[in-house]
Amino acid sequence: MRYTVWSHPVETTYTTNIISKATVFYVLSTLLTVIPPLLIAYRSSGFWMKTASYAEQPDIHFKHTLIVILETEDGDNLIWSSREVDLQHEGDRVRVPLVQSREEDVNRDGILDSLQLKVSMPMASKEVVCGVKALVVFDYKLSRFSYLDMTGLIFISDYGHHGRSLEVAGDLRLVQKQPLSHRGIDQRFASSPLPSDAPVNLGKVLREYVDRNISVRLENLYKIWSRGSGTENFVLEVNINYPAETVLYTPGLWQTLKWGWIQYLGILVIFVYMFNSIKTFVFSNQVLPTICNPPGRK
């Protein structure tokens, strides 16, 4: 019994003068093999990769910068801030709370996964809270592919009657209005969005913050307002998860060319097969006159 260990095709060549119908046909068929796939790939969208994405667990840290404002039924505000500049002109409206915070690395990968924050604001017996506003500031970094160093904040607010506590749970998510660069360090928003030498104007800070091209905000948000009066403290509890993000970025030249080549090659293979079959038929059947050189003939 014999086994086939190797095989190769037998090649037949066809020759002709440079100026001939066969030469013109060969040039035209070659052009039609190469150019139409390029046009089809370009016109079908997705040929040039304008944006790409990747997943990364951001490196997030609570900066221990916090502002809490309690609105009371008599129209007054009780305030506390970790920044002294915000308390200089508040007088007896300032309340010094007990602040407890803990960030956890649940899966022990060296990157924090969540924040538990509890603020207990002391109150007078006749003070009744009907609304809460809070600003919490974070340090936010990406480094796996695009390098981003940013300071972001979240705004928490809720209203009710005779409140004694507010519980908030959500995910801290990245907001992109434009993709990141594929190289370099992006530190456009590394400084704090809060003014360093003046009290916080809440409306102005939020307007400027929402205009940023890159920011963070709370999503998948849930709130529980608990009613009660005559309590010694109003308690604000915030539980925030730091989930992995899908980050948009602008790809570099080589990645763009590689993606375009893949789109082009997928269509080119079909045209090469089709026009090779046409040329084989035309020359083997002498549709256009040529000199046939069978295998072994020089």
Side-chain angles (χ1 to χ4, degrees):
M1 182 180 294
R2 295 180 178 273
Y3 297 94
T4 301
V5 294
W6 181 251
S7 65
H8 63 86
V10 176
E11 185 178 75
T12 301
T13 60
Y14 300 87
T15 59
T16 185
N17 296 326
I18 293 179
I19 302 176
S20 65
K21 293 181 180 180
T23 301
V24 173
F25 169 76
Y26 174 77
V27 172
L28 289 177
S29 62
T30 301
L31 292 176
L32 291 174
T33 301
V34 176
I35 297 177
L38 181 62
L39 297 177
I40 294 173
Y42 181 78
R43 296 292 296 176
S44 62
S45 301
F47 181 68
W48 293 116
M49 180 184 289
K50 297 181 180 179
T51 59
S53 63
Y54 69 97
E56 179 179 355
Q57 174 83 30
D59 185 11
I60 304 174
H61 294 271
F62 173 44
K63 297 193 70 170
H64 300 279
T65 300
L66 175 67
I67 302 174
V68 180
I69 301 173
L70 303 182
E71 297 182 358
T72 61
E73 279 191 335
D74 58 7
D76 203 0
N77 291 333
L78 308 178
I79 185 173
W80 180 79
S81 173
S82 59
R83 299 162 9 112
E84 293 185 5
V85 68
D86 296 323
L87 306 177
Q88 291 177 354
H89 306 291
E90 297 298 335
D92 58 1
R93 296 193 300 172
V94 176
R95 297 290 187 272
V96 181
L98 173 63
V99 180
Q100 299 169 286
S101 65
R102 183 179 69 213
E103 291 180 290
E104 293 184 336
D105 178 11
V106 177
N107 54 9
R108 307 302 181 194
D109 62 350
I111 300 177
L112 297 175
D113 297 304
S114 64
L115 166 69
Q116 288 81 45
L117 175 64
K118 183 177 181 180
V119 181
S120 300
M121 292 274 284
M123 298 170 51
S125 59
K126 295 182 179 180
E127 292 174 334
V128 178
V129 176
C130 63
V132 182
K133 298 176 183 176
L135 287 177
V136 188
V137 181
F138 294 88
D139 182 49
Y140 191 101
K141 292 182 180 179
L142 297 171
S143 58
R144 180 179 176 185
F145 194 84
S146 300
Y147 192 94
L148 172 68
D149 185 1
M150 173 180 70
T151 300
L153 63 80
I154 60 170
F155 175 64
I156 299 169
S157 67
D158 201 14
Y159 299 89
H161 297 285
H162 298 275
R164 62 181 176 85
S165 68
L166 173 64
E167 296 181 44
V168 178
D171 298 332
L172 188 68
R173 305 310 301 251
L174 179 67
V175 180
Q176 289 185 259
K177 295 181 180 179
Q178 63 178 198
L180 299 176
S181 175
H182 71 283
R183 62 180 180 180
I185 301 175
D186 191 338
Q187 292 182 316
R188 290 174 294 170
F189 306 110
S191 59
S192 174
L194 305 181
S196 59
D197 55 355
V200 167
N201 182 325
L202 195 58
K204 181 180 179 181
V205 168
L206 294 178
R207 284 194 301 270
E208 293 178 350
Y209 184 70
V210 79
D211 286 338
R212 288 175 25 167
N213 291 323
I214 304 173
S215 59
V216 294
R217 70 182 176 195
L218 271 184
E219 295 184 0
N220 193 29
L221 181 62
Y222 296 92
K223 304 176 185 178
I224 299 177
W225 178 273
S226 299
R227 299 181 62 180
S229 59
T231 59
E232 295 182 354
N233 297 285
F234 182 90
V235 179
L236 172 64
E237 291 191 44
V238 182
N239 297 280
I240 301 175
N241 296 319
Y242 305 156
E245 287 289 349
T246 300
V247 183
L248 293 177
Y249 70 98
T250 304
L253 174 63
W254 293 113
Q255 185 176 0
T256 302
L257 292 177
K258 181 180 70 174
W259 177 260
W261 170 249
I262 292 174
Q263 310 304 307
Y264 174 63
L265 185 61
I267 304 174
L268 178 64
V269 169
I270 299 174
F271 275 74
V272 168
Y273 176 81
M274 180 175 64
F275 276 97
N276 280 351
S277 298
I278 293 173
K279 284 186 279 189
T280 299
F281 175 81
V282 169
F283 291 126
S284 62
N285 290 280
Q286 291 294 296
V287 176
L288 296 174
T290 58
I291 298 173
C292 178
N293 302 295
R297 181 179 175 181
K298 298 183 179 179

